[in-house]
Amino acid sequence: MQRAHLVAAFLTFAALCVGVSALSVSRDRHATLEQARREFAATAHLLDEHASRAIEAGDAQLRMLLDTLERWDRGDPAEGRRIQAAMRARTERLPQIAGVWALDAQGRLLLDSAEHPPPPRDLSERDYARVHMDATQGPPPDIHVGSPLSGPGISQGRFTISRALRDEEGALRAIAVAGIRNTYFSQMYGEAGWGEGARLALFTSGKEKLAEWPPDSAVEPPGTAWPQPWDPPDGPAIVEGSQITAARMLTGFPIVVVASRPLAEVLAPWRERALWTAAISGGILTGALVLFVFALAGTRREDAVRAELLRANQSLDERVRQRTADLEKALRSAEMASLAKMKVLATVSHDLRQPLQGLAAFHELLLKEAPNPTLQQLGAMASASLQAGQRLLDDLLTLSRLEAGVVPVEVGAFPLAPLLDQLAAELRAEAEGKGLRLTVMPTRAWVRSDPARLQPILRNLLSNAVKYTAHGGVVVGVRPRGDGLRVEIWDSGQGIAKAELGTIWEEFYQIGNPARDGSRGAGLGLSIAERTARLLGHPLEVRSRVGRGSVFAVTLPRAPTPAGPPPMAASSSTDPAPPARPAEASGRLSGRRVLVVEDDPLQRSSLTLLLEQAGAGVMAADSFDSALAAAQATLQAPSAILSDYRLPGGTDGLSGIQTLRGVLGRDIPAILLTGELSAELVRAAKEAGCLVLTKPAAPNRILSTLAELTAGADAAA
C-alpha cells in the first residue's frame, strides 16, 4: 500500500471513529431528553389527576352548601345549627379541606363549619367576595379560585374555591367558600420521590402560586410551557432554560399543575456514558495510531518490491496484449467466416430451389408421356435423386436458420399421442418392410412445446431408429420425469460406441458411412434435431450399448390435461400429397382458369404445361401488370392465382395478389410458390389468405392444392 493511501486510510478511520462516537453520544442525549420529557409529561398527568380529585371534593361541598342555603329558613336557629354540624362533619372527613363558610350578599359571615352562630365578621374585602359581588360588571364566574390566605386567625396556608347563589334574575343571594390546605399537596409531592431537584407546584390561571414542593422553593410559573387554551390536553414536556418543565390545566378548574426538573440532573447519566464512549474511542484511535506507525515503516520495503514487480509485469502485460489482439483477430475472422457460411448456405439453398422446381415439373410431364417401361424406371430413379437433393437443400436451409437464430417458436399446449401416432404411421411401412415391430405405447399426456419444431426432432430420432435397426423392433414411450415428461425411443440396432456419443450431433457426421453413401442421407439430421431441441429448451439425451441398441430421449414440460376427448391429429403442412391416379391428374382442374405469375421463362413454361395437362385454362404472365392487362382483356377473373414471391420491378407476389384482388373486386384463391422460408412471410401470407408452397414443390401437390382451392368454382365458359 502506498504511503499516501495509508495516511488517507488512517485519517478516514479516525474521522469515522470520531463521527460514530459523536453520533452515538448525540443520539444518546436526544434519547435521554425524550425519555425525561415523557416522564415529566406523565408526572404532570399524575399531578393533574390528584389535584382534580382534591378540588372536585371541595367543589362538591360547595354545591351541597348552596343547595342547603337555598332552602334555609334563617328564622329557625335550630336549623342553622343542624347545617353547621353537617358542614363540620363533612369537612372533617376530607383532609384537604380546612373549612367551609358562607357569606350573605353584603359579604357578612352567615355560616361557618367551625362554630355556630359565627362571630359577626365583614369579609367583603376578600378576593372571593369581591369577585362574586362585582359580577354586575361582567358575566358571573362559575367557580373562583382565590389567592392563598394569610393573616390573623389563619393557622396554616390555604387557598379558597367559591361559588355564588343567585336568584332567577341573577341577583346575588349568598356565597359559599371552601378553604383548601396547600400543605395537603406539598406533603403528597414530598412523599412521591420525584427526584432531588424536582420542583412541583399549583398555580391559578392568573399565575398565582397556590402550593409548591419543596416548601419555599420559589418555583416560578413557566413561560413557554404554560398551557394555552388551544394546546392539546396531553402536551409534552418542554426544555425551558435549564429546566425540563411540564404543565397541565385541570379539567373544569382554572388551576395549572407544574412539574420541572433541572436539565443537569436529567443529563447526569448521559454525561457518564459519554465519558465512557470518549474513553473507548480514544483507546481505539491510540491502537490504530500504533498500527499506522508500524505500517508506515513497512511502506518503504513494499515500494522496493513493487518496483521490481512492476518491471516484471510490464514485460508480461506486453505479451498478454499481443496474444489478446491475435485472439480477437482470429475470433473476428471466425465470426465473419460463420456469417459468410450462413449467407452462402441460405443463398445457394434459395437459388437452387428455382431450377429444381422447373425440373420437377418437366420430370412429371416426361413420366406421363413416356410409355416405355425402361424410361418409367429411369424416371423413378431420377425422381428419387431429385427428392434426395431437395431433402439436402431443406436440411442446409434449416441448419443455416438455426445458426443465425431466426427460427420462430410458438409454444402451446397439445396432446402428445396424436403426434406420436402420426410419426409412427409415416414410418410403419418402412419398418414392416424390414421385418421390424414399431410400437407406440399409449399415452394421454399433454405437453407445452412448439409442435411444428418438435415434430421434426421426433421424426428424425424415430427415422434413425428404424434405419439403423436390422432386426427386433423400435418402441416409443412416455415416462414422467419430475415436472416434465420424457419421450424415449428404444431400438435394438447396432448401437453407438461410447467414443462416438459426443460426435453424433456434429454436421455431416454418420456412423458406418465412410464412403458417404448418399442414399443414407447427408448426416445433418441429428445436428438439426440437437440445435432445435436447444432452441426449445428441451434436453436431448442418448444412451447406447454396442450390439444391444440405443435409447434417444427428449424431456418436455408437462401441461395439464383438459377435460373432454383429445383433438384429432392434424396432418402436417409438409406432408407430401398422395399420388394421384392418371385419370384424376389429367382432369382434376377441368374448367378452371389459373393465373400463373412467374418471371423465370423456364419455370413459367413448366407450370403452364403441368396445369394444361390437368385440364386448366392457363393465363401466364411475367409480372402482375401483365397479368392485370390479360385479365381485363379477357373480361374474366381467374379461378385461382399461382405466383412466385420474388418478382422484378420491386413488386413481390403477396402485394401483387392483394392488388389484383382489389382491382377485380374478388377474393381469388391464391398460392405463393417460393424458395424462401421466413416466418414473417408465412405469417403475412396467412393474414392475406394465401397458401405457401416451398420450391421445389411436388407437381402432384401443386395440382391437389389448386383442386382443393377451386373445388367450388364454376367452370369457365
Side-chain angles (χ1 to χ4, degrees):
M1 180 182 294
Q2 294 182 357
R3 190 175 306 175
H5 293 168
L6 189 61
V7 173
F10 172 75
L11 294 178
T12 302
F13 175 77
L16 183 62
C17 185
V18 172
V20 170
S21 300
L23 179 61
S24 175
V25 170
S26 175
R27 289 173 63 89
D28 188 19
R29 185 179 189 277
H30 177 74
T32 303
L33 288 177
E34 287 298 315
Q35 179 66 22
R37 291 176 64 182
R38 287 193 295 270
E39 290 177 355
F40 267 78
T43 299
H45 181 68
L46 292 176
L47 296 179
D48 180 0
E49 292 182 349
H50 178 268
S52 295
R53 288 194 297 269
I55 302 301
E56 285 172 357
D59 188 36
Q61 298 297 319
L62 293 181
R63 293 178 186 272
M64 287 188 290
L65 179 57
L66 290 178
D67 291 341
T68 303
L69 290 174
E70 190 173 9
R71 298 188 304 270
W72 181 29
D73 183 4
R74 299 184 185 182
D76 186 357
E79 185 177 359
R81 284 192 295 273
R82 287 195 299 272
I83 295 174
Q84 184 268 341
M87 292 169 52
R88 182 172 184 174
R90 288 194 295 267
T91 302
E92 289 176 350
R93 289 196 299 268
L94 298 174
Q96 69 269 31
I97 300 178
V100 180
W101 61 95
L103 310 180
D104 62 10
Q106 287 73 36
R108 294 187 296 270
L109 186 63
L110 281 177
L111 288 173
D112 193 340
S113 61
E115 58 181 326
H116 186 80
R121 294 180 62 184
D122 185 1
L123 302 177
S124 59
E125 294 302 320
R126 296 294 176 92
D127 60 343
Y128 52 82
R130 289 198 306 270
V131 166
H132 294 289
M133 294 171 62
D134 297 342
T136 55
Q137 301 177 1
D142 187 15
I143 184 172
H144 173 69
V145 179
S147 303
L149 298 177
S150 60
I154 300 175
S155 60
Q156 54 184 347
R158 60 183 179 175
F159 60 92
T160 63
I161 58 175
S162 59
R163 287 183 178 272
L165 176 64
R166 299 181 183 275
D167 59 16
E168 295 179 355
E169 297 179 356
L172 180 65
R173 293 176 56 188
I175 302 172
V177 185
I180 307 297
R181 294 188 179 95
N182 53 17
T183 55
Y184 170 79
F185 299 98
S186 300
Q187 182 180 2
M188 191 279 296
Y189 296 162
E191 295 174 353
W194 303 110
E196 183 178 350
R199 298 291 183 266
L200 311 171
L202 291 179
F203 291 91
T204 66
S205 58
K207 297 188 177 181
E208 289 186 278
K209 189 187 304 179
L210 300 176
E212 66 179 351
W213 183 87
D216 303 326
S217 57
V219 178
E220 296 294 333
T224 306
W226 188 263
Q228 301 297 330
W230 53 82
D231 289 339
D234 295 327
I238 296 176
V239 177
E240 189 174 41
S242 61
Q243 301 283 327
I244 294 182
T245 304
R248 292 172 60 91
M249 177 81 71
L250 268 63
T251 303
F253 301 103
I255 296 177
V256 177
V257 295
V258 177
S260 66
R261 192 177 181 188
L263 192 61
E265 183 177 320
V266 172
L267 294 178
W270 166 78
R271 290 192 181 91
E272 184 177 354
R273 292 193 297 270
L275 290 175
W276 275 107
T277 302
I280 293 173
S281 299
I284 294 175
L285 286 177
T286 302
L289 179 62
V290 172
L291 293 177
F292 168 73
V293 171
F294 279 104
L296 196 62
T299 55
R300 294 183 179 179
R301 294 189 298 272
E302 291 182 5
D303 290 341
V305 174
R306 185 180 300 108
E308 183 65 26
L309 290 176
L310 182 61
R311 286 192 295 270
N313 286 337
Q314 286 177 348
S315 176
L316 180 60
D317 288 344
E318 183 62 29
R319 293 196 299 270
V320 170
R321 281 195 296 270
Q322 183 63 38
R323 183 61 58 86
T324 302
D326 295 341
L327 291 176
E328 290 177 351
K329 182 177 180 181
L331 180 60
R332 286 193 297 269
S333 299
E335 290 176 349
M336 293 177 63
S338 179
L339 292 175
K341 181 185 70 172
M342 288 186 290
K343 184 176 181 181
V344 167
L345 286 174
T347 302
V348 169
S349 176
H350 174 271
D351 292 346
L352 282 179
R353 289 176 183 273
Q354 295 290 100
L356 284 178
Q357 180 63 59
L359 179 60
F362 285 130
H363 179 264
E364 182 73 15
L365 294 173
L366 285 175
L367 287 180
K368 292 178 180 179
E369 298 296 334
N372 191 330
T374 303
L375 292 179
Q376 289 284 344
Q377 183 179 5
L378 292 175
M381 296 172 62
S383 179
S385 298
L386 182 61
Q387 292 177 5
Q390 181 179 349
R391 287 195 299 270
L392 177 59
L393 283 178
D394 290 341
D395 289 347
L396 288 173
L397 180 58
T398 301
L399 188 61
S400 65
R401 295 173 67 214
L402 286 170
E403 288 184 348
V406 295
V407 177
V409 175
E410 297 181 2
V411 177
F414 59 92
L416 195 55
L419 178 59
L420 298 180
D421 292 340
Q422 177 182 333
L423 295 176
E426 294 177 9
L427 296 169
R428 196 172 301 281
E430 181 181 351
E432 291 176 353
K434 298 178 65 175
L436 302 176
R437 297 183 306 276
L438 178 55
T439 305
V440 177
M441 304 303 295
T443 179
R444 296 183 180 180
W446 283 59
V447 295
R448 289 190 58 82
S449 182
D450 184 346
R453 305 298 170 205
L454 178 62
Q455 185 185 54
I457 297 175
L458 298 178
R459 178 185 288 114
N460 183 275
L461 299 180
L462 186 57
S463 175
N464 279 355
V466 173
K467 182 188 301 183
Y468 290 101
T469 301
H471 56 82
V474 177
V475 179
V476 181
V478 180
R479 292 182 177 179
R481 174 62 64 88
D483 295 334
L485 291 173
R486 181 182 173 97
V487 181
E488 297 182 347
I489 300 175
W490 295 68
D491 66 64
S492 57
Q494 65 188 31
I496 306 171
K498 186 175 181 180
E500 293 183 301
L501 287 177
T503 57
I504 59 175
W505 312 107
E506 298 178 359
E507 298 94 335
F508 303 105
Y509 184 84
Q510 288 181 305
I511 298 175
N513 190 20
R516 305 299 300 172
D517 182 2
S519 63
R520 299 177 59 181
L524 295 176
L526 286 181
S527 177
I528 293 175
E530 189 272 336
R531 298 188 187 200
T532 307
R534 193 192 316 158
L535 175 68
L536 296 174
H538 302 336
L540 192 59
E541 305 172 28
V542 59
R543 304 193 312 270
S544 184
R545 293 179 63 182
V546 176
R548 299 292 298 275
S550 304
V551 182
F552 284 83
V554 57
T555 303
L556 311 175
R558 187 198 303 262
T561 303
M568 298 298 292
S571 61
S572 172
S573 60
T574 59
D575 291 342
R581 291 186 294 271
E584 294 177 348
S586 61
R588 70 174 69 180
L589 295 180
S590 178
R592 308 294 190 268
R593 296 180 60 83
V594 181
L595 172 62
V596 177
V597 183
E598 173 61 68
D599 61 319
D600 185 271
L602 191 60
Q603 295 194 50
R604 188 167 63 247
S605 299
S606 65
L607 292 174
T608 300
L609 291 174
L610 180 66
L611 296 176
E612 287 177 346
Q613 281 202 359
V618 180
M619 293 185 296
D622 60 353
S623 66
F624 272 95
D625 292 337
S626 302
L628 179 60
Q632 291 174 339
T634 58
L635 301 179
Q636 287 185 342
S639 304
I641 303 173
L642 180 62
S643 173
D644 189 15
Y645 178 69
R646 288 190 181 182
L647 295 172
T651 302
D652 60 81
L654 187 58
S655 60
I657 290 171
Q658 292 174 318
T659 302
L660 187 60
R661 286 173 173 174
V663 173
L664 298 180
R666 289 183 56 187
D667 191 12
I668 304 171
I671 299 175
L672 275 179
L673 190 60
T674 178
E676 299 188 11
L677 288 178
S678 67
E680 292 78 9
L681 176 58
V682 174
R683 190 178 299 110
K686 183 178 180 180
E687 293 174 355
C690 297
L691 293 180
V692 177
L693 293 181
T694 304
K695 293 181 179 181
N700 188 40
R701 182 165 180 77
I702 296 175
L703 297 178
S704 299
T705 306
L706 283 173
E708 293 174 2
L709 290 178
T710 60
D714 296 330

